[in-house]
Amino acid sequence: QVRLVESGGGLVQTGGSLRLSCAASGRTFSAYATGWFRQAPGKEREIVAAITWSGGTTYYADSVKGRFTISRDNVKNTVYLQMNSLKPEDTAVYYCAAPAAQYALYSRNTQGYQYWGQGTQVTVSS
């Protein structure tokens, strides 16, 4: 069992920055790929970024490429999402997620993840 807790969300103006954290407990989190997803009201949950268990490979959605950075600290069992140059369309609840299997490659789809955090709200004002 992997338990995930997101933090770091809040209200920020357009162009501002936030850093989200995904703290894990339970099984060896350093062995799990991790994805960040977001869901805006009335929209489907979509992937934002993902990172392999080692941190060696990352993925970004086109909408955030060049503005967001995903990273991890396996000593602290934490994955981060640094969000810069925020736009109103980035407003959503942000979730981190981990797949069922250790050492699995990250998935770009929600179906590829078994463990989810409770989410943290990010609101970008115009």
Side-chain angles (χ1 to χ4, degrees):
Q1 185 76 10
V2 175
R3 291 173 291 277
L4 305 173
V5 178
E6 303 95 336
S7 62
L11 173 64
V12 65
Q13 292 185 334
T14 296
S17 298
L18 285 173
R19 188 176 80 156
L20 305 184
S21 297
C22 173
S25 60
R27 302 183 70 180
T28 308
F29 185 59
S30 59
Y32 288 87
T34 304
W36 279 100
F37 289 77
R38 66 186 181 188
Q39 187 166 20
K43 295 188 176 181
E44 293 187 353
R45 193 170 297 189
E46 62 176 4
I47 191 164
V48 174
I51 190 167
T52 52
W53 63 271
S54 67
T57 303
T58 57
Y59 165 82
Y60 297 95
D62 288 343
S63 58
V64 306
K65 204 171 291 183
R67 300 188 297 123
F68 290 11
T69 303
I70 189 171
S71 62
R72 69 188 304 152
D73 184 335
N74 283 342
V75 174
K76 295 183 178 180
N77 283 344
T78 302
V79 173
Y80 304 98
L81 184 68
Q82 178 67 44
M83 306 187 296
N84 299 328
S85 302
L86 283 162
K87 305 174 182 180
E89 50 264 44
D90 295 318
T91 296
V93 178
Y94 283 70
Y95 301 88
C96 63
Q102 294 181 342
Y103 304 112
L105 185 62
Y106 58 73
S107 171
R108 301 180 185 182
N109 301 308
T110 58
Q111 296 89 336
Y113 295 86
Q114 177 166 331
Y115 304 107
W116 292 85
Q118 82 291 347
T120 185
Q121 176 70 46
V122 171
T123 303
V124 184
S125 63
S126 56

